[in-house]
Amino acid sequence: MTSNTTLLAVSTAQRWHDFWHGVLGQWIITRGLRLVMVVIAAVLAVRFVTWVTEQISRQLDERFVEGDALVRSESTKHRQALASVAQWVAIVLIAIWCIVRIADVFSFSVAGLVAPATVIGAALGFGAQQVVRDILAGFFLIVEKQYGFGDLVTLTVVSATEASGTVENVTLRVTRLRSPNGEVLTIPNGQIVKAVNESKDWARAVVDIPVSTTADLNRVAEVLRQECESALENPILKDLLLDAPTLMGVESIQVDTVTLRLVARTLPGKQFEAGRQLRVLVIRALARAGIMTAEDAKVGVVEGPGAEVAAAQQHEYEKARESVQH
């Protein structure tokens, strides 16, 4: 029994020795291990590049409150875009290096592929013109800092359609937007013919205020200027506005309404929220002063201490309309 076990062990050791000294065993030792090491090195390099990019993005995000992620400096937006592009380029270079090393492990001469690769490259060049155009357009888009991560943009593509949303990612080939409805829009950079950046350095909130033609415009302008001067004291608006709002004056005149325009410089991407808050202030101020807006003139509803004055103005307005009709 002992001799049989000894013979089996010797036979197994001999077969194991013959395997590693055979053709397959020698290939595994000389080339197989190199192939595995190249693949492992490529995977680790890709993971390292991804980790570095995530760390850069996390450090940029930590400077801003989650609710104000859109309010970023231009340099921060540019660094975010460059980090994304650098990650993409690094991964492509690692993949090329890995393919070249694998070809070297298999003793495959890359030099012999120069002539066929030239022919194939020329053939693919005609079919990949759009890809090349996308990459070139993305390069100039990032270098010129047209827009970056977190910007609110409206892009016009070659089909004359528009795409609006918040920039979530910018690469050399595509721009990814998040629409107000939550949809993700992926647009090739080569198809963008016009880019409107609504959050470059600062934004502007525009508020149009329609009032009745019977209202005293001097009184309306006085009330609105007072609200503009005190807007920065508002606990909500003081964090959104860069300076006090400005009353531009009469914007348009219609048969029964006069529209006044009020504008304000806001933080990037905050013009819509600031506009909503300004409208609330304007409505309350006009109601306290007893001044009717166009809608008040139609339905006769004004709340506040100046309701009696508003009712008198509405009566005069109705008489004026009757005289015009007759």
Side-chain angles (χ1 to χ4, degrees):
M1 184 66 179
T2 304
S3 60
N4 291 337
T5 304
T6 303
L7 291 175
L8 180 60
V10 171
S11 176
T12 303
Q14 184 64 37
R15 286 197 299 268
W16 185 255
H17 179 270
D18 293 339
F19 172 78
W20 287 112
H21 284 79
V23 177
L24 181 59
Q26 289 297 314
W27 185 91
I28 293 176
I29 295 175
T30 57
R31 298 185 179 182
L33 291 179
R34 289 175 56 193
L35 178 64
V36 173
M37 294 300 293
V38 167
V39 174
I40 293 176
V43 172
L44 292 178
V46 170
R47 292 180 65 88
F48 176 74
V49 170
T50 304
W51 177 81
V52 171
T53 305
E54 291 176 352
Q55 293 299 315
I56 294 175
S57 301
R58 185 176 296 110
Q59 290 179 2
L60 294 176
D61 292 337
E62 286 177 355
R63 302 179 184 179
F64 304 93
V65 182
E66 182 178 358
D68 292 336
L70 292 180
V71 184
R72 297 168 176 260
S73 65
E74 294 303 316
S75 59
T76 300
K77 296 174 185 177
H78 189 58
R79 285 196 295 268
Q80 187 82 23
L82 287 179
S84 177
V85 172
Q87 178 186 9
W88 183 80
V89 173
I91 291 176
V92 171
L93 293 177
I94 292 171
I96 294 175
W97 174 83
C98 183
I99 293 174
V100 172
R101 299 305 300 173
I102 290 176
D104 182 61
V105 169
F106 285 98
S107 299
F108 190 80
S109 179
V110 180
L113 295 177
V114 174
T118 303
V119 177
I120 296 175
L124 292 178
F126 291 102
Q129 292 181 11
Q130 182 61 47
V131 176
V132 176
R133 186 168 64 175
D134 293 342
I135 294 176
L136 289 176
F139 172 78
F140 288 107
L141 185 151
I142 294 173
V143 170
E144 296 172 358
K145 301 181 181 180
Q146 297 182 19
Y147 53 79
F149 178 82
D151 278 338
L152 182 62
V153 299
T154 299
L155 304 180
T156 303
V157 298
V158 291
S159 57
T161 58
E162 292 186 348
S164 300
T166 303
V167 178
E168 285 197 341
N169 193 16
V170 181
T171 66
L172 287 178
R173 197 182 71 84
V174 298
T175 295
R176 185 175 296 111
L177 304 180
R178 176 75 64 174
S179 71
N181 296 328
E183 302 169 339
V184 177
L185 308 176
T186 302
I187 304 171
N189 294 327
Q191 296 186 11
I192 299 174
V193 296
K194 184 175 72 172
V196 179
N197 193 335
E198 301 180 17
S199 56
K200 183 75 171 179
D201 298 328
W202 54 273
R204 173 171 289 171
V206 179
V207 178
D208 288 334
I209 308 157
V211 297
S212 172
T213 53
T214 60
D216 185 355
L217 292 183
N218 292 330
R219 175 60 177 159
V220 174
E222 180 183 354
V223 171
L224 293 179
R225 289 193 182 95
Q226 291 176 356
E227 289 300 315
C228 290
E229 293 175 357
S230 60
L232 293 178
E233 300 176 1
N234 185 280
I236 298 178
L237 285 174
K238 69 178 182 180
D239 296 329
L240 302 176
L241 300 179
L242 296 177
D243 47 30
T246 303
L247 179 64
M248 304 300 293
V250 177
E251 178 65 20
S252 63
I253 301 176
Q254 299 179 1
V255 176
D256 54 357
T257 60
V258 177
T259 301
L260 290 85
R261 173 161 292 183
L262 185 149
V263 299
R265 288 202 316 148
T266 71
L267 293 172
K270 295 299 182 180
Q271 63 269 34
F272 304 109
E273 183 178 353
R276 288 190 290 267
Q277 295 297 330
L278 285 173
R279 291 184 183 92
V280 172
L281 290 184
V282 168
I283 292 174
R284 291 177 178 175
L286 295 180
R288 288 195 301 268
I291 300 172
M292 291 188 301
T293 63
E295 294 300 324
D296 295 332
K298 294 178 182 178
V299 300
V301 177
V302 175
E303 299 180 355
E308 297 179 357
V309 179
Q313 291 181 350
Q314 180 185 1
H315 181 66
E316 294 178 1
Y317 171 73
E318 291 175 352
K319 290 177 59 178
R321 290 193 62 182
E322 290 178 0
S323 63
V324 171
Q325 292 175 356
H326 291 296

